[in-house]
Amino acid sequence: MNKSFLKILLIGLVLLAFFSSEFAYGTENKKVLLITINEVSFEDLYSMDSVKDMVDDGAIALMNNRTSTRANSIKAYMTIGTGVRAEASLEAAAFEDINNENVQIYHRRLGPIEANQGIINLEMPKLIALNELGDYGAAPGALGKALHLAGLKTAAIGNGDTSENRVRLAPLIAMDEMGFVDYGSVDPGLNLVDPTYPFGIKSNYDKYRETIHAVWSHADFVTVDLEDISRLERYKNHMTEERYLLHKHTVLQDMSRFINTILADIDLENTRVILVTPYPSAENIKSGNTLTPIIVYGSGISQGVMTSDTTRREGIVGNVDIGPSVLDYLETSSDEMTGRTLRVIPKTDNYTYIQDLNTKTVATSNFRYPVLSTFAIFEIIVSILALIIILIKDRLNSKWVNRFKNVLLSTMTAPFVLLILPVFVRTNLAMTFILLIGITTIITYATKSIRKETIDSILLLSLITTIGLLIDISTNGTLIKSSLLGYDPIIGARYYGIGNEYMGVLIGATLVFATSLLDRFKVNKVWCLAIFFVTIVIIGYPGFGANVGGTMTAVAAFLFVSLRLFKVRIGIKQLFFIGTAIVAAVAFMAFIDIYLLGSKSHLAGAIQQIVTEGPGIIFLIIKRKIAMNLKLVGVTIWSKVLLSAILIIAILIYRPVGTLYKLTSLYPNLALGWSGIVVACIVGFLVNDSGIVASATGIIFLVMSMLYLAFYIPKEQQRP
């Protein structure tokens, strides 16, 4: 009797344990669960109870989703898996669950495969070829390859098929270099037929959960792609706005319930959950709101916001950072990735912080074009008018000519005002214009009123611009990061240091300041050299400006001027010396970055890529820079600024007769500074991927100071 009772009790306990743990996953090893929900915003995610809990207890950030060439969703998924901005296409993402038929096709195209389960990409050769032609040399399958080399297993689950296309994007993240994922499914069986949903297709979340359960004990990295929102976005044009919003709410709540279930199933003590939106919706792209959400939750994570050495910006990270972060948590790494590991900065009320950051970032991005194009057009018009007035000023009212001189000075004031403007206004375009004009006018008149000599206004404006930029760059670049003339994290060309716009301004302003200082106060030339040295260090130091092209430009321009200041003629030997100095400066900064700072800047990343993938990367970098400059010549207003400046200088050489000769006689050291700006424009154009922008902003202080002083030639010549 007792034995029977014990047997029944034992069987009951076993059954109870089985049913209670039907979907309770193992806890033996570290795991990463990556959930992708495409084309949603933080507001969408925060409306989901399950995700709201993740936000409130986890770390969040805005993510730049830039890819190689023109971005799209497929490339965005691919970039997460490569850790480098990548190429991809829907045709090259032909993923299928392994079966007897497709494994033969795979064998024919890529070679034999021993696995009898998992997922394969039948168009992997096409995907590899796309990236060989890409701008960044991405290695398809870098994440899966690194995991496999470490003896870890991968899984991918998700099917976004519509009635028009086969969409299986999850394996782009988890696959290895052969297009293989160990476990999971992209089978259409992950969906249900539901006539009330877009394309009549709905995700079968019970099947998703069942598949996760089947792979969980085997895989160390699992990526799950939830595609109902993406299908809805593809179908949006066939729906009324009311029906679209209703469907979106329904889909988000379906997803929320599913995520809640999965989070309850897994052991968060040894599992890190990453929820990411690889690419924004068409509506968000249209409004400029293109930074997408990323949330990290679970093992080792506390409430806060994230950053990385890719961006060095609190609350903003790159899509290339996800792969290295997965590998870091699973205690391995990859030399094929340029991204950096995500770090958490503790912050209460992180959601409010991110929303405010996003509002300001989007406003800055959207305001850049109207403000900067207006400034550029203003500069072109003012410089042309100045030239015309110089040619015919004897026939004009002297009172109006004198007033116009102030307008000319204001073009040299504006870059400094654009630097400090974020202190006063960030999200109001009308107020931005009002304050830009107002502060520029005040500073311009202030420098004019306190001057004692003609050159004083130029000296003061170049001084405040140089000092302001050097101080800001060496103190984390808070102003540049928010300035309309700084860089845009939404574009993602640069996140920290000094961008090419202000690099051109700084070099131009420094040359004018240092050389006009010599003409005005006859100080020792050593002071000029000291100013040049400090500027080079701050532009190039990886912890400050971190601008390699800017370092090369500054060294070339400053050395050229320094040699001329000491009456050294420029010949082959001097040019060789300048070239050697450029190489030495870049090498020294690279040494500091790699061996002292821990490879935190773009320079170290480029060197790492060259070492890993060979010297071919150098040609990719050169190709990318040339392509970008050629593209910008045709589309940016700065190319018109540069062209108009060149034409004005060319005319001044001949008309009025002797103008440049008289200016060089009156201001011999400043004239050398002007020649240095010309050198900076040439070198800057050649070595920077937006060199035309650097050249255009750098030439501001050359042309405008030259035109301004040209008005005073008769007065200055009469001085004893």
Side-chain angles (χ1 to χ4, degrees), residues 68 72-79 81-82 84-95 106 109-110 120-135 137-142 168-181:
S68 179
N72 60 39
S73 287
I74 301 96
K75 294 180 185 180
Y77 278 78
M78 181 72 175
T79 296
T82 57
V84 178
R85 290 169 178 167
E87 290 285 347
S89 68
L90 206 55
E91 296 76 18
F95 291 99
Y106 183 92
R109 296 179 180 182
L110 287 101
I120 50 176
N121 183 6
L122 298 179
E123 295 291 353
M124 192 64 183
K126 185 179 292 185
L127 196 58
I128 294 170
L130 283 174
N131 283 279
E132 287 175 346
L133 298 173
D135 288 345
R168 289 104 184 257
L169 304 182
L172 284 172
I173 299 173
M175 69 179 183
D176 64 12
E177 75 278 16
M178 298 301 291
F180 172 68
V181 182

Side-chain angles (χ1 to χ4, degrees), residues 355-367 371 421-433 435 482 484:
Q355 289 297 90
D356 180 63
L357 175 63
N358 192 47
T359 299
K360 291 176 179 177
T361 302
V362 171
T364 299
S365 181
N366 288 341
F367 294 173
V371 173
L421 200 58
V423 174
F424 306 99
V425 62
R426 292 284 299 275
T427 59
N428 187 309
L429 182 58
M431 188 57 65
T432 297
F433 273 110
L435 288 179
S482 304
L484 296 171

Side-chain angles (χ1 to χ4, degrees), residues 442-497:
I442 292 169
I443 294 176
T444 301
Y445 273 94
T447 59
K448 190 80 177 291
S449 62
I450 64 175
R451 74 173 193 182
K452 294 183 179 179
E453 300 290 342
T454 301
I455 200 173
D456 285 354
S457 293
I458 292 173
L459 178 61
L460 288 169
L461 290 175
S462 58
L463 168 65
I464 62 173
T465 303
T466 300
I467 297 299
L469 283 168
L470 291 179
I471 291 174
D472 186 56
I473 296 165
S474 56
T475 55
N476 199 35
T478 302
L479 294 176
I480 288 181
K481 288 176 182 177
S482 304
S483 172
L484 296 171
L485 197 56
Y487 32 78
D488 185 353
I490 289 178
I491 295 174
R494 172 175 283 270
Y495 300 98
Y496 57 84

